[in-house]
Amino acid sequence: MTEPMDADVIVVGAGPTGLLLANELGLAGVSTLVLEKDVERTGQSRALNLQPRSAELLDARGWLAPIRERALTTLPGGHFAGLPLDYRGFDSPFPYQVGIPQARVEEFLEDHLAEYGTAVRRGHQLTGFTQDPAGVTVTASGPEGTYRLRARYLVGADGGRSRVRKLLGVGFPGRDGRIAAAIADIRLDEPPGRSLEWRLPSFDPGEGEPFLLPLGDGIHRFLFGGPAQEGMDRNAPVTEDEVRRALGPVHGSRLREIRSSSRFTDASRQAERYLDGRVLLAGDAAHIHFPAGGQGLNLGLQDAFNLGWKLASVVQGRLDAGLLETYHSERHPVGARVLQNTRAQGVLLVPDGDVRALREILTEVLAVPEANRRLAGMISGLDIRYPMPGAPAHPLLGARLPGVAQPDGRGVLLSSRAGGRPAALAEPWTDRIARTTAELPGAEAVLLRPDGYVCWAGPGDGTGLREALTHWFGSAR
Ligand SMILES: Cc1cc2nc3c(=O)[nH]c(=O)nc-3n(C[C@H](O)[C@H](O)[C@H](O)COP(=O)(O)OP(=O)(O)OC[C@H]3O[C@@H](n4cnc5c(N)ncnc54)[C@H](O)[C@@H]3O)c2cc1C
């Protein structure tokens, strides 16, 4: 007899990671419950962008267009410690960033959960859990008091100070912050001159203008650091006085209102394991780093795209729990790479004459298209490739294949001609695989996982296709 459960999966945290994961699970028909300790969304937006790879993945589901309706602008490229990166050389429908406050992405994702009847219990906090071979028992506290929930899996998408991670006892090695900074979303009396234009952040040491970005409705994002922030308690409120001082005499006198503010550091840590038994970590719960280059939210969204369909396959009994190991083995190196590049960016932002010399040389190097491509691929998420063990070698294997619609979250078999052998081989998987024809670069047929990565590519005779279908999608009907 199967044990009654409150949900198949409990997701802790209604930030971008938890909300996207809940959507992916809902799309796959997995019953999901989201616990969120905050009664309301604060409206504060730490992130302001969708990188190209996040845009591609959201687009494959049909979610990018409604999100873009809430966007402010597009940003022509990316940056590495403020040094501009050109995204245009990539074969992507989105060789740019979508400029959108985090809160608006969250708003769409939370509203969209209604499609699946997924509840977000706001004002409900996870306080503890235990796991056993059959499931996880969660203790939560809400307005009515403390209660228990039972689910097959638990995902901690509960941010950098993750309670789930701490209770799990997973190591979180790395280092504490060295750079301290603050953000404040402010309203100014008069337009602050040239800062009113959207531009790439210039952190160039020696730059005199405050870093202000317009967020719409007369609100500006003000980012500031400096000696006054060193040693500051991260939880201490940002005061009006310090914002005014940091803005400088010209802009400081124009400060009318501080809408929201917070402090942050360049602390850099990553969970040693992204899963332990029936408990998984995603987003900031699994990795924290300096927000340079605009990658954290994007990393969390892509964790969720990687995990959602895998968790659904396991919960629905198509594949065994071993599949979840690939969530760790694929996403941990991607997170480690972001930690590495944000630490490097932190060094490049140190206000020092020698660092300025290094930045000048790097600027020259980045004028070389291949050098730009290397860094742009890293920051945009477009260079991510996963190992696909067991599949026949092919240049497309493990790479992304953009522009393929996957609105129902199924895999896709693309064939260069209709009625070929690969399509016939995939027929018993049509409940999990859509089949379509397409012009393919250098392959007769390609099998895409639900997260848009190529897990088989090959010749028209379909060598190895059946094995790849069974490996990633389970047994044939
Ligand atoms: C100043 C700053 C600027 C940034 N700019 C960018 C940028 O431009 N681009 C970018 O990509 N990223 C940026 N980031 C990073 C980005 O904001 C984070 O990576 C992102 O918010 C992570 O999302 P998340 O869902 O994993 O975690 P969070 O957004 O932290 O969400 C976690 C949620 O879990 C809830 N929670 C916590 N504990 C519990 C509990 N016990 N029970 C129930 N709920 C709980 C919290 O209330 C919260 O809502 C920036 C970060 C900072 C600090």
Side-chain angles (χ1 to χ4, degrees), residues 44 182-188 218-220 222 224 237-245 247 252 254-262:
Q44 197 201 10
I183 51 168
D185 288 350
I186 59 176
R187 197 185 286 278
L188 294 166
I219 308 294
H220 289 75
F222 177 39
F224 62 104
V238 177
T239 65
E240 187 180 322
D241 192 43
E242 72 179 298
V243 174
R244 223 179 264 287
R245 257 186 290 123
L247 276 168
R254 294 177 176 150
L255 179 67
R256 197 197 306 167
E257 184 193 354
I258 301 176
R259 294 284 291 261
S260 61
S261 57
S262 62

Side-chain angles (χ1 to χ4, degrees), residues 124-388:
H124 293 250
Q125 180 167 177
L126 171 138
T127 54
F129 68 82
T130 56
Q131 58 169 321
D132 56 68
V136 184
T137 303
V138 166
T139 314
S141 72
E144 317 272 275
T146 301
Y147 61 98
R148 278 170 189 231
L149 293 165
R150 184 92 175 131
R152 291 186 206 291
Y153 283 89
L154 171 68
V155 183
D158 49 346
R161 298 173 189 190
S162 171
R163 175 80 71 96
V164 175
R165 186 189 67 234
K166 287 174 188 161
L167 290 169
L168 201 56
V170 166
F172 199 44
R175 66 155 175 79
D176 291 336
R178 293 175 187 159
I179 304 173
I183 51 168
D185 288 350
I186 59 176
R187 197 185 286 278
L188 294 166
D189 262 341
E190 290 167 48
R194 75 175 182 86
S195 304
L196 256 181
E197 287 158 36
W198 263 89
R199 60 185 166 101
L200 289 172
S202 170
F203 299 101
D204 191 4
E207 168 100 351
E209 279 288 309
F211 175 55
L212 284 162
L213 279 179
L215 303 183
D217 303 329
I219 308 294
H220 289 75
R221 160 70 46 90
F222 177 39
L223 182 67
F224 62 104
Q229 292 295 323
E230 302 301 329
M232 185 73 89
D233 172 7
R234 245 201 78 186
N235 297 314
V238 177
T239 65
E240 187 180 322
D241 192 43
E242 72 179 298
V243 174
R244 223 179 264 287
R245 257 186 290 123
L247 276 168
V250 177
H251 300 291
S253 62
R254 294 177 176 150
L255 179 67
R256 197 197 306 167
E257 184 193 354
I258 301 176
R259 294 284 291 261
S260 61
S261 57
S262 62
R263 298 182 198 282
F264 63 98
T265 74
D266 67 337
S268 185
R269 294 183 176 276
Q270 186 177 22
E272 260 164 4
R273 295 263 308 146
Y274 280 18
L275 74 156
D276 182 358
R278 293 177 171 272
V279 183
L280 299 110
L281 301 171
D284 277 15
H287 35 69
I288 55 165
H289 55 82
F290 195 42
Q295 301 171 86
L297 168 141
N298 289 273
L299 190 58
L301 293 181
Q302 291 171 50
D303 284 349
F305 273 119
N306 188 284
L307 177 59
W309 66 277
K310 293 177 181 173
L311 201 45
S313 302
V314 172
V315 164
Q316 292 169 341
R318 289 190 298 277
L319 285 159
D320 68 38
L323 178 67
L324 297 176
E325 282 295 330
T326 67
Y327 168 60
H328 172 82
S329 63
E330 291 178 356
R331 293 304 297 168
H332 191 278
V334 174
R337 183 81 159 149
V338 172
L339 261 67
Q340 183 199 40
N341 85 46
T342 49
R343 289 172 73 168
Q345 289 186 75
V347 173
L348 285 168
L349 292 168
V350 172
D352 176 86
D354 290 1
V355 174
R356 180 187 285 270
L358 178 59
R359 291 174 66 89
E360 284 165 6
I361 287 174
L362 250 186
T363 304
E364 286 171 28
V365 171
L366 285 173
V368 178
E370 261 315 297
N372 170 78
R373 192 179 172 84
R374 175 62 75 97
L375 276 190
M378 191 190 290
I379 300 291
S380 62
L382 293 174
D383 72 349
I384 294 167
R385 246 190 132 111
Y386 298 129
M388 297 289 170

Side-chain angles (χ1 to χ4, degrees), residues 3 23 27-28 47 56 77 146 196 214-215 322 344 427 477:
E3 180 194 351
N23 273 280
L27 183 64
E56 288 179 354
T146 301
L196 256 181
L215 303 183
E427 203 281 329
R477 249 186 296 122

Side-chain angles (χ1 to χ4, degrees), residues 82-96:
L83 306 176
L85 297 173
D86 192 341
Y87 288 170
R88 284 173 303 181
F90 288 93
D91 172 23
S92 170
F94 312 104
Y96 49 80

